[in-house]
mmCIF file with all atom_site columns, all heavy atoms in Angstrom:
data_model
loop_
_atom_site.group_PDB
_atom_site.id
_atom_site.type_symbol
_atom_site.label_atom_id
_atom_site.label_alt_id
_atom_site.label_comp_id
_atom_site.label_asym_id
_atom_site.label_entity_id
_atom_site.label_seq_id
_atom_site.pdbx_PDB_ins_code
_atom_site.Cartn_x
_atom_site.Cartn_y
_atom_site.Cartn_z
_atom_site.occupancy
_atom_site.B_iso_or_equiv
_atom_site.pdbx_formal_charge
_atom_site.auth_seq_id
_atom_site.auth_comp_id
_atom_site.auth_asym_id
_atom_site.auth_atom_id
_atom_site.pdbx_PDB_model_num
ATOM 1   N N   . GLN A 1 41  ? -16.582 -63.014 7.057   1.00 0.00 ? 63  GLN A N   1
ATOM 2   C CA  . GLN A 1 41  ? -17.580 -63.303 6.015   1.00 0.00 ? 63  GLN A CA  1
ATOM 3   C C   . GLN A 1 41  ? -17.929 -64.784 5.939   1.00 0.00 ? 63  GLN A C   1
ATOM 4   O O   . GLN A 1 41  ? -18.868 -65.166 5.246   1.00 0.00 ? 63  GLN A O   1
ATOM 5   C CB  . GLN A 1 41  ? -17.070 -62.822 4.654   1.00 0.00 ? 63  GLN A CB  1
ATOM 6   C CG  . GLN A 1 41  ? -16.671 -61.358 4.621   1.00 0.00 ? 63  GLN A CG  1
ATOM 7   C CD  . GLN A 1 41  ? -17.693 -60.459 5.286   1.00 0.00 ? 63  GLN A CD  1
ATOM 8   O OE1 . GLN A 1 41  ? -18.871 -60.457 4.929   1.00 0.00 ? 63  GLN A OE1 1
ATOM 9   N NE2 . GLN A 1 41  ? -17.236 -59.684 6.280   1.00 0.00 ? 63  GLN A NE2 1
ATOM 10  N N   . ASP A 1 82  ? -42.454 -68.894 -38.522 1.00 0.00 ? 104 ASP A N   1
ATOM 11  C CA  . ASP A 1 82  ? -41.741 -67.656 -38.158 1.00 0.00 ? 104 ASP A CA  1
ATOM 12  C C   . ASP A 1 82  ? -42.473 -67.036 -36.965 1.00 0.00 ? 104 ASP A C   1
ATOM 13  O O   . ASP A 1 82  ? -43.459 -66.332 -37.134 1.00 0.00 ? 104 ASP A O   1
ATOM 14  C CB  . ASP A 1 82  ? -41.702 -66.702 -39.351 1.00 0.00 ? 104 ASP A CB  1
ATOM 15  C CG  . ASP A 1 82  ? -40.826 -65.480 -39.059 1.00 0.00 ? 104 ASP A CG  1
ATOM 16  O OD1 . ASP A 1 82  ? -40.237 -65.420 -37.939 1.00 0.00 ? 104 ASP A OD1 1
ATOM 17  O OD2 . ASP A 1 82  ? -40.735 -64.600 -39.928 1.00 0.00 ? 104 ASP A OD2 1
ATOM 18  N N   . TYR A 1 83  ? -41.995 -67.378 -35.776 1.00 0.00 ? 105 TYR A N   1
ATOM 19  C CA  . TYR A 1 83  ? -42.697 -66.856 -34.581 1.00 0.00 ? 105 TYR A CA  1
ATOM 20  C C   . TYR A 1 83  ? -41.679 -66.694 -33.435 1.00 0.00 ? 105 TYR A C   1
ATOM 21  O O   . TYR A 1 83  ? -40.535 -67.151 -33.493 1.00 0.00 ? 105 TYR A O   1
ATOM 22  C CB  . TYR A 1 83  ? -43.817 -67.809 -34.165 1.00 0.00 ? 105 TYR A CB  1
ATOM 23  C CG  . TYR A 1 83  ? -43.352 -69.171 -33.699 1.00 0.00 ? 105 TYR A CG  1
ATOM 24  C CD1 . TYR A 1 83  ? -43.086 -69.411 -32.335 1.00 0.00 ? 105 TYR A CD1 1
ATOM 25  C CD2 . TYR A 1 83  ? -43.186 -70.222 -34.602 1.00 0.00 ? 105 TYR A CD2 1
ATOM 26  C CE1 . TYR A 1 83  ? -42.658 -70.647 -31.906 1.00 0.00 ? 105 TYR A CE1 1
ATOM 27  C CE2 . TYR A 1 83  ? -42.757 -71.453 -34.175 1.00 0.00 ? 105 TYR A CE2 1
ATOM 28  C CZ  . TYR A 1 83  ? -42.499 -71.673 -32.820 1.00 0.00 ? 105 TYR A CZ  1
ATOM 29  O OH  . TYR A 1 83  ? -42.058 -72.903 -32.390 1.00 0.00 ? 105 TYR A OH  1
ATOM 30  N N   . LEU A 1 92  ? -38.070 -71.074 -6.453  1.00 0.00 ? 114 LEU A N   1
ATOM 31  C CA  . LEU A 1 92  ? -37.726 -70.973 -5.038  1.00 0.00 ? 114 LEU A CA  1
ATOM 32  C C   . LEU A 1 92  ? -37.288 -72.341 -4.538  1.00 0.00 ? 114 LEU A C   1
ATOM 33  O O   . LEU A 1 92  ? -37.921 -73.357 -4.841  1.00 0.00 ? 114 LEU A O   1
ATOM 34  C CB  . LEU A 1 92  ? -38.940 -70.485 -4.234  1.00 0.00 ? 114 LEU A CB  1
ATOM 35  C CG  . LEU A 1 92  ? -38.841 -70.625 -2.702  1.00 0.00 ? 114 LEU A CG  1
ATOM 36  C CD1 . LEU A 1 92  ? -37.852 -69.620 -2.129  1.00 0.00 ? 114 LEU A CD1 1
ATOM 37  C CD2 . LEU A 1 92  ? -40.208 -70.446 -2.040  1.00 0.00 ? 114 LEU A CD2 1
ATOM 38  N N   . ALA A 1 94  ? -36.074 -73.800 -0.687  1.00 0.00 ? 116 ALA A N   1
ATOM 39  C CA  . ALA A 1 94  ? -35.860 -73.515 0.729   1.00 0.00 ? 116 ALA A CA  1
ATOM 40  C C   . ALA A 1 94  ? -35.528 -74.806 1.457   1.00 0.00 ? 116 ALA A C   1
ATOM 41  O O   . ALA A 1 94  ? -36.305 -75.773 1.381   1.00 0.00 ? 116 ALA A O   1
ATOM 42  C CB  . ALA A 1 94  ? -37.101 -72.870 1.344   1.00 0.00 ? 116 ALA A CB  1
ATOM 43  N N   . ARG A 1 106 ? -22.431 -73.738 12.080  1.00 0.00 ? 128 ARG A N   1
ATOM 44  C CA  . ARG A 1 106 ? -21.798 -73.764 13.404  1.00 0.00 ? 128 ARG A CA  1
ATOM 45  C C   . ARG A 1 106 ? -20.278 -73.698 13.283  1.00 0.00 ? 128 ARG A C   1
ATOM 46  O O   . ARG A 1 106 ? -19.598 -73.018 14.053  1.00 0.00 ? 128 ARG A O   1
ATOM 47  C CB  . ARG A 1 106 ? -22.216 -75.022 14.168  1.00 0.00 ? 128 ARG A CB  1
ATOM 48  C CG  . ARG A 1 106 ? -23.701 -75.094 14.514  1.00 0.00 ? 128 ARG A CG  1
ATOM 49  C CD  . ARG A 1 106 ? -23.964 -76.142 15.596  1.00 0.00 ? 128 ARG A CD  1
ATOM 50  N NE  . ARG A 1 106 ? -23.473 -77.457 15.217  1.00 0.00 ? 128 ARG A NE  1
ATOM 51  C CZ  . ARG A 1 106 ? -24.174 -78.353 14.512  1.00 0.00 ? 128 ARG A CZ  1
ATOM 52  N NH1 . ARG A 1 106 ? -25.404 -78.036 14.084  1.00 0.00 ? 128 ARG A NH1 1
ATOM 53  N NH2 . ARG A 1 106 ? -23.668 -79.536 14.226  1.00 0.00 ? 128 ARG A NH2 1
ATOM 54  N N   . ASP A 1 142 ? 17.479  -41.770 28.610  1.00 0.00 ? 164 ASP A N   1
ATOM 55  C CA  . ASP A 1 142 ? 18.058  -41.742 29.956  1.00 0.00 ? 164 ASP A CA  1
ATOM 56  C C   . ASP A 1 142 ? 19.556  -42.015 29.905  1.00 0.00 ? 164 ASP A C   1
ATOM 57  O O   . ASP A 1 142 ? 20.349  -41.371 30.605  1.00 0.00 ? 164 ASP A O   1
ATOM 58  C CB  . ASP A 1 142 ? 17.378  -42.786 30.842  1.00 0.00 ? 164 ASP A CB  1
ATOM 59  C CG  . ASP A 1 142 ? 16.028  -42.308 31.360  1.00 0.00 ? 164 ASP A CG  1
ATOM 60  O OD1 . ASP A 1 142 ? 15.689  -41.129 31.131  1.00 0.00 ? 164 ASP A OD1 1
ATOM 61  O OD2 . ASP A 1 142 ? 15.318  -43.111 31.988  1.00 0.00 ? 164 ASP A OD2 1
ATOM 62  N N   . HIS A 1 152 ? 30.474  -34.179 31.546  1.00 0.00 ? 174 HIS A N   1
ATOM 63  C CA  . HIS A 1 152 ? 30.749  -32.974 32.336  1.00 0.00 ? 174 HIS A CA  1
ATOM 64  C C   . HIS A 1 152 ? 31.594  -33.313 33.569  1.00 0.00 ? 174 HIS A C   1
ATOM 65  O O   . HIS A 1 152 ? 32.503  -32.544 33.944  1.00 0.00 ? 174 HIS A O   1
ATOM 66  C CB  . HIS A 1 152 ? 29.447  -32.313 32.759  1.00 0.00 ? 174 HIS A CB  1
ATOM 67  C CG  . HIS A 1 152 ? 28.734  -31.621 31.638  1.00 0.00 ? 174 HIS A CG  1
ATOM 68  N ND1 . HIS A 1 152 ? 29.203  -30.464 31.060  1.00 0.00 ? 174 HIS A ND1 1
ATOM 69  C CD2 . HIS A 1 152 ? 27.591  -31.929 30.968  1.00 0.00 ? 174 HIS A CD2 1
ATOM 70  C CE1 . HIS A 1 152 ? 28.382  -30.077 30.082  1.00 0.00 ? 174 HIS A CE1 1
ATOM 71  N NE2 . HIS A 1 152 ? 27.395  -30.948 30.013  1.00 0.00 ? 174 HIS A NE2 1
ATOM 72  N N   . THR A 1 171 ? 50.766  -34.685 38.344  1.00 0.00 ? 193 THR A N   1
ATOM 73  C CA  . THR A 1 171 ? 51.765  -35.199 37.415  1.00 0.00 ? 193 THR A CA  1
ATOM 74  C C   . THR A 1 171 ? 51.218  -35.178 36.004  1.00 0.00 ? 193 THR A C   1
ATOM 75  O O   . THR A 1 171 ? 50.006  -35.113 35.773  1.00 0.00 ? 193 THR A O   1
ATOM 76  C CB  . THR A 1 171 ? 52.166  -36.639 37.785  1.00 0.00 ? 193 THR A CB  1
ATOM 77  O OG1 . THR A 1 171 ? 51.019  -37.483 37.608  1.00 0.00 ? 193 THR A OG1 1
ATOM 78  C CG2 . THR A 1 171 ? 52.644  -36.714 39.228  1.00 0.00 ? 193 THR A CG2 1
ATOM 79  N N   . ALA A 1 176 ? 47.381  -36.823 31.494  1.00 0.00 ? 198 ALA A N   1
ATOM 80  C CA  . ALA A 1 176 ? 47.194  -37.670 30.307  1.00 0.00 ? 198 ALA A CA  1
ATOM 81  C C   . ALA A 1 176 ? 46.094  -38.702 30.551  1.00 0.00 ? 198 ALA A C   1
ATOM 82  O O   . ALA A 1 176 ? 45.284  -39.006 29.669  1.00 0.00 ? 198 ALA A O   1
ATOM 83  C CB  . ALA A 1 176 ? 48.510  -38.359 29.956  1.00 0.00 ? 198 ALA A CB  1
ATOM 84  N N   . GLN A 1 195 ? 22.381  -44.243 19.340  1.00 0.00 ? 217 GLN A N   1
ATOM 85  C CA  . GLN A 1 195 ? 21.387  -45.203 19.828  1.00 0.00 ? 217 GLN A CA  1
ATOM 86  C C   . GLN A 1 195 ? 20.073  -44.499 20.146  1.00 0.00 ? 217 GLN A C   1
ATOM 87  O O   . GLN A 1 195 ? 18.987  -45.035 19.884  1.00 0.00 ? 217 GLN A O   1
ATOM 88  C CB  . GLN A 1 195 ? 21.929  -45.926 21.058  1.00 0.00 ? 217 GLN A CB  1
ATOM 89  C CG  . GLN A 1 195 ? 23.085  -46.871 20.755  1.00 0.00 ? 217 GLN A CG  1
ATOM 90  C CD  . GLN A 1 195 ? 23.704  -47.452 22.015  1.00 0.00 ? 217 GLN A CD  1
ATOM 91  O OE1 . GLN A 1 195 ? 23.204  -47.239 23.125  1.00 0.00 ? 217 GLN A OE1 1
ATOM 92  N NE2 . GLN A 1 195 ? 24.798  -48.173 21.853  1.00 0.00 ? 217 GLN A NE2 1
ATOM 93  N N   . ASN A 1 198 ? 18.361  -43.769 16.829  1.00 0.00 ? 220 ASN A N   1
ATOM 94  C CA  . ASN A 1 198 ? 17.788  -44.997 16.263  1.00 0.00 ? 220 ASN A CA  1
ATOM 95  C C   . ASN A 1 198 ? 16.532  -45.417 17.015  1.00 0.00 ? 220 ASN A C   1
ATOM 96  O O   . ASN A 1 198 ? 15.553  -45.872 16.403  1.00 0.00 ? 220 ASN A O   1
ATOM 97  C CB  . ASN A 1 198 ? 18.824  -46.126 16.298  1.00 0.00 ? 220 ASN A CB  1
ATOM 98  C CG  . ASN A 1 198 ? 20.001  -45.867 15.371  1.00 0.00 ? 220 ASN A CG  1
ATOM 99  O OD1 . ASN A 1 198 ? 19.864  -45.140 14.385  1.00 0.00 ? 220 ASN A OD1 1
ATOM 100 N ND2 . ASN A 1 198 ? 21.142  -46.456 15.664  1.00 0.00 ? 220 ASN A ND2 1
ATOM 101 N N   . PRO A 1 210 ? 5.926   -38.600 14.030  1.00 0.00 ? 232 PRO A N   1
ATOM 102 C CA  . PRO A 1 210 ? 6.966   -38.274 15.015  1.00 0.00 ? 232 PRO A CA  1
ATOM 103 C C   . PRO A 1 210 ? 6.396   -38.199 16.428  1.00 0.00 ? 232 PRO A C   1
ATOM 104 O O   . PRO A 1 210 ? 5.337   -37.632 16.649  1.00 0.00 ? 232 PRO A O   1
ATOM 105 C CB  . PRO A 1 210 ? 7.482   -36.904 14.545  1.00 0.00 ? 232 PRO A CB  1
ATOM 106 C CG  . PRO A 1 210 ? 7.055   -36.800 13.119  1.00 0.00 ? 232 PRO A CG  1
ATOM 107 C CD  . PRO A 1 210 ? 5.771   -37.557 13.002  1.00 0.00 ? 232 PRO A CD  1
ATOM 108 N N   . PRO A 1 224 ? 3.998   -50.185 42.165  1.00 0.00 ? 246 PRO A N   1
ATOM 109 C CA  . PRO A 1 224 ? 2.938   -50.508 43.135  1.00 0.00 ? 246 PRO A CA  1
ATOM 110 C C   . PRO A 1 224 ? 2.838   -52.013 43.331  1.00 0.00 ? 246 PRO A C   1
ATOM 111 O O   . PRO A 1 224 ? 3.340   -52.797 42.520  1.00 0.00 ? 246 PRO A O   1
ATOM 112 C CB  . PRO A 1 224 ? 1.682   -49.952 42.462  1.00 0.00 ? 246 PRO A CB  1
ATOM 113 C CG  . PRO A 1 224 ? 1.981   -50.051 41.001  1.00 0.00 ? 246 PRO A CG  1
ATOM 114 C CD  . PRO A 1 224 ? 3.446   -49.781 40.855  1.00 0.00 ? 246 PRO A CD  1
ATOM 115 N N   . VAL A 1 252 ? -11.202 -75.750 18.443  1.00 0.00 ? 274 VAL A N   1
ATOM 116 C CA  . VAL A 1 252 ? -11.765 -77.045 18.848  1.00 0.00 ? 274 VAL A CA  1
ATOM 117 C C   . VAL A 1 252 ? -13.256 -77.089 18.508  1.00 0.00 ? 274 VAL A C   1
ATOM 118 O O   . VAL A 1 252 ? -13.756 -78.098 17.977  1.00 0.00 ? 274 VAL A O   1
ATOM 119 C CB  . VAL A 1 252 ? -11.545 -77.280 20.358  1.00 0.00 ? 274 VAL A CB  1
ATOM 120 C CG1 . VAL A 1 252 ? -12.324 -78.508 20.834  1.00 0.00 ? 274 VAL A CG1 1
ATOM 121 C CG2 . VAL A 1 252 ? -10.058 -77.455 20.649  1.00 0.00 ? 274 VAL A CG2 1
ATOM 122 N N   . VAL A 1 346 ? 7.788   -60.066 38.186  1.00 0.00 ? 368 VAL A N   1
ATOM 123 C CA  . VAL A 1 346 ? 7.192   -58.829 38.669  1.00 0.00 ? 368 VAL A CA  1
ATOM 124 C C   . VAL A 1 346 ? 7.175   -58.803 40.201  1.00 0.00 ? 368 VAL A C   1
ATOM 125 O O   . VAL A 1 346 ? 7.456   -57.769 40.821  1.00 0.00 ? 368 VAL A O   1
ATOM 126 C CB  . VAL A 1 346 ? 5.767   -58.658 38.108  1.00 0.00 ? 368 VAL A CB  1
ATOM 127 C CG1 . VAL A 1 346 ? 5.069   -57.468 38.748  1.00 0.00 ? 368 VAL A CG1 1
ATOM 128 C CG2 . VAL A 1 346 ? 5.820   -58.480 36.598  1.00 0.00 ? 368 VAL A CG2 1
ATOM 129 N N   . GLY A 1 377 ? 45.287  -36.521 49.321  1.00 0.00 ? 399 GLY A N   1
ATOM 130 C CA  . GLY A 1 377 ? 46.442  -37.254 48.835  1.00 0.00 ? 399 GLY A CA  1
ATOM 131 C C   . GLY A 1 377 ? 46.377  -38.746 49.059  1.00 0.00 ? 399 GLY A C   1
ATOM 132 O O   . GLY A 1 377 ? 47.355  -39.461 48.799  1.00 0.00 ? 399 GLY A O   1
ATOM 133 N N   . ASP A 1 383 ? 41.503  -43.501 40.684  1.00 0.00 ? 405 ASP A N   1
ATOM 134 C CA  . ASP A 1 383 ? 40.457  -43.923 41.629  1.00 0.00 ? 405 ASP A CA  1
ATOM 135 C C   . ASP A 1 383 ? 39.194  -43.082 41.444  1.00 0.00 ? 405 ASP A C   1
ATOM 136 O O   . ASP A 1 383 ? 38.072  -43.598 41.475  1.00 0.00 ? 405 ASP A O   1
ATOM 137 C CB  . ASP A 1 383 ? 40.960  -43.790 43.061  1.00 0.00 ? 405 ASP A CB  1
ATOM 138 C CG  . ASP A 1 383 ? 42.103  -44.753 43.368  1.00 0.00 ? 405 ASP A CG  1
ATOM 139 O OD1 . ASP A 1 383 ? 42.151  -45.813 42.720  1.00 0.00 ? 405 ASP A OD1 1
ATOM 140 O OD2 . ASP A 1 383 ? 42.934  -44.418 44.232  1.00 0.00 ? 405 ASP A OD2 1
ATOM 141 N N   . LEU A 1 412 ? 2.691   -59.387 31.501  1.00 0.00 ? 434 LEU A N   1
ATOM 142 C CA  . LEU A 1 412 ? 1.851   -60.186 32.401  1.00 0.00 ? 434 LEU A CA  1
ATOM 143 C C   . LEU A 1 412 ? 0.384   -59.887 32.161  1.00 0.00 ? 434 LEU A C   1
ATOM 144 O O   . LEU A 1 412 ? -0.448  -60.794 32.048  1.00 0.00 ? 434 LEU A O   1
ATOM 145 C CB  . LEU A 1 412 ? 2.228   -59.913 33.856  1.00 0.00 ? 434 LEU A CB  1
ATOM 146 C CG  . LEU A 1 412 ? 1.368   -60.618 34.912  1.00 0.00 ? 434 LEU A CG  1
ATOM 147 C CD1 . LEU A 1 412 ? 1.451   -62.133 34.758  1.00 0.00 ? 434 LEU A CD1 1
ATOM 148 C CD2 . LEU A 1 412 ? 1.784   -60.190 36.318  1.00 0.00 ? 434 LEU A CD2 1
ATOM 149 N N   . ALA A 1 416 ? -2.355  -62.430 30.533  1.00 0.00 ? 438 ALA A N   1
ATOM 150 C CA  . ALA A 1 416 ? -3.536  -62.777 31.336  1.00 0.00 ? 438 ALA A CA  1
ATOM 151 C C   . ALA A 1 416 ? -4.832  -62.423 30.619  1.00 0.00 ? 438 ALA A C   1
ATOM 152 O O   . ALA A 1 416 ? -5.917  -62.746 31.109  1.00 0.00 ? 438 ALA A O   1
ATOM 153 C CB  . ALA A 1 416 ? -3.479  -62.079 32.687  1.00 0.00 ? 438 ALA A CB  1
ATOM 154 N N   . TYR A 1 426 ? -3.068  -48.201 31.966  1.00 0.00 ? 448 TYR A N   1
ATOM 155 C CA  . TYR A 1 426 ? -2.316  -48.526 33.184  1.00 0.00 ? 448 TYR A CA  1
ATOM 156 C C   . TYR A 1 426 ? -0.838  -48.189 33.031  1.00 0.00 ? 448 TYR A C   1
ATOM 157 O O   . TYR A 1 426 ? -0.221  -47.583 33.911  1.00 0.00 ? 448 TYR A O   1
ATOM 158 C CB  . TYR A 1 426 ? -2.514  -50.003 33.517  1.00 0.00 ? 448 TYR A CB  1
ATOM 159 C CG  . TYR A 1 426 ? -1.591  -50.501 34.602  1.00 0.00 ? 448 TYR A CG  1
ATOM 160 C CD1 . TYR A 1 426 ? -1.633  -49.949 35.873  1.00 0.00 ? 448 TYR A CD1 1
ATOM 161 C CD2 . TYR A 1 426 ? -0.679  -51.517 34.351  1.00 0.00 ? 448 TYR A CD2 1
ATOM 162 C CE1 . TYR A 1 426 ? -0.784  -50.407 36.876  1.00 0.00 ? 448 TYR A CE1 1
ATOM 163 C CE2 . TYR A 1 426 ? 0.164   -51.977 35.340  1.00 0.00 ? 448 TYR A CE2 1
ATOM 164 C CZ  . TYR A 1 426 ? 0.113   -51.418 36.594  1.00 0.00 ? 448 TYR A CZ  1
ATOM 165 O OH  . TYR A 1 426 ? 0.952   -51.860 37.578  1.00 0.00 ? 448 TYR A OH  1
#
Side-chain angles (χ1 to χ4, degrees):
Q63 305 314 304
D104 187 2
Y105 65 91
L114 167 72
R128 295 196 304 273
D164 281 353
H174 287 290
T193 65
Q217 291 173 6
N220 293 335
V274 171
V368 173
D405 294 333
L434 176 60
Y448 170 61

